[in-house]
C-alpha cells in the first residue's frame, strides 16, 4: 500500500463525518475541505519528520509538496480558511487531540522503510495528487454503508 493511500485513509477517518465532528448540523463542503487540508498538513508534518534524516529524500518530499500546492489551488484556499463557527473550531481542536493515534500509526508504517526511496516515491505521488480526488475518496470511505433492503 502506498504511503499516500495510507494518508488518504487517515484523511477519511478525520475529514468527513467522524465522531470528532459532532456538531448540531452536518459539516458543510467548505468545512470538509478545510478539515481535509488540515489533516493533509498534519500528515505532511509526519512525512517531513520521517524524511528529515535523508537530505535527498527531504528535498524530494518538499518538491512534491510544493508542486501539490501549485497543482491544487482548492487545497491552498481550503487550508487558508478558518473554522467559521465555534462548534467547528471545537471539532478541529477535538480532531487535533486525537491525531496522535493517527500519527502513531503512520510512524509505525514508516518504520523500517528505506527513507530516501520512500520519500522520493512520496514526493512523486504528491506531485500527481489532486486534492479534490483525495477529498472525494475520503467521503466515499467515510460514508455509511447503505442499509440492506428487504422485500
Amino acid at each position: 500500500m502506498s504511503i499516500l493511500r495510507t494518508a488518504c485513509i487517515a484523511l477519511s477517518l478525520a475529514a468527513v463525518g467522524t465522531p470528532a465532528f459532532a456538531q448540531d448540523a452536518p459539516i458543510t463542503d467548505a468545512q470538509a475541505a478545510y478539515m481535509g487540508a488540515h489533516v493533509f498538513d498534519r500528515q505532511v508534518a509526519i512525512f517531513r519528520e520521517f524524511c528529515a534524516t535523508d537530505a535527498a529524500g527531504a528535498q524530494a518530499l518538499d518538491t512534491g509538496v510544493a508542486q501539490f500546492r501549485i497543482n491544487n489551488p482548492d487545497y491552498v484556499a481550503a487550508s487558508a480558511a478558518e473554522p467559521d463557527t465555534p462548534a467547528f473550531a471545537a471539532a478541529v481542536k477535538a480532531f487535533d487531540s486525537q491525531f496522535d493515534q493517527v500519527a502513531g500509526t503512520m510512524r509505525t508504517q514508516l518504520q523500517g522503510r528505506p527513507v530516501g526511496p520512500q520519500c522520493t516515491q512520496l514526493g512523486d505521488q504528491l506531485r500527481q495528487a489532486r486534492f479534490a480526488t483525495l477529498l472525494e475518496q475520503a467521503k466515499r470511505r467515510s460514508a455509511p454503508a447503505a442499509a440492506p433492503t428487504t422485500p
Side-chain angles (χ1 to χ4, degrees), residues 2 12 14 18-19 28 39-40 51 54 63-65 88-89 100 103 105 114 123 133 138 148:
S2 76
S12 71
T18 65
T28 66
V39 171
F40 180 85
C51 295
D54 183 275
T63 300
V65 170
F88 186 63
D100 287 342
T105 300
T133 301

Side-chain angles (χ1 to χ4, degrees), residues 134-148:
L134 293 174
L135 283 179
E136 187 57 39
Q137 290 170 348
K139 286 179 186 179
R140 281 196 304 266
R141 283 190 178 92
S142 66

Side-chain angles (χ1 to χ4, degrees), residues 13-28 31-32 34-35 38-39 42 83-99:
L13 296 174
V16 287
T18 65
F21 298 106
Q23 300 186 101
D24 292 334
I27 64 172
T28 66
Q31 289 171 330
Y34 171 82
M35 198 61 216
H38 181 72
V39 171
R42 297 289 310 264
D84 54 355
T85 66
F88 186 63
V92 172
K93 187 174 180 178
F95 167 78
D96 283 341
S97 70
Q98 296 172 359
F99 185 76

Side-chain angles (χ1 to χ4, degrees), residues 10 15 35 39 44 52 57 68 81-82 90 106 108 114 120 122-125 128 139 143:
M35 198 61 216
V39 171
V44 166
F68 179 84
E82 293 293 322
M106 290 176 68
T108 298
T120 298
L122 183 57
D124 290 344
Q125 291 172 351
Q128 298 171 22
K139 286 179 186 179

Side-chain angles (χ1 to χ4, degrees), residues 46-138:
I46 301 299
F47 295 140
R48 283 191 167 123
E49 175 186 304
F50 172 72
C51 295
T53 61
D54 183 275
Q59 180 61 44
L61 177 66
D62 287 343
T63 300
V65 170
Q67 190 63 51
F68 179 84
R69 292 179 64 83
I70 290 167
N71 293 343
N72 293 282
D74 53 338
Y75 157 79
V76 174
S79 65
E82 293 293 322
D84 54 355
T85 66
F88 186 63
V92 172
K93 187 174 180 178
F95 167 78
D96 283 341
S97 70
Q98 296 172 359
F99 185 76
D100 287 342
Q101 291 175 348
V102 174
T105 300
M106 290 176 68
R107 286 182 184 107
T108 298
Q109 289 179 350
L110 290 168
Q111 285 177 343
R113 293 181 185 226
V115 176
Q118 190 63 58
C119 296
T120 298
Q121 179 186 19
L122 183 57
D124 290 344
Q125 291 172 351
L126 287 171
R127 272 193 292 283
Q128 298 171 22
R130 296 296 173 259
F131 183 64
T133 301
L134 293 174
L135 283 179
E136 187 57 39
Q137 290 170 348

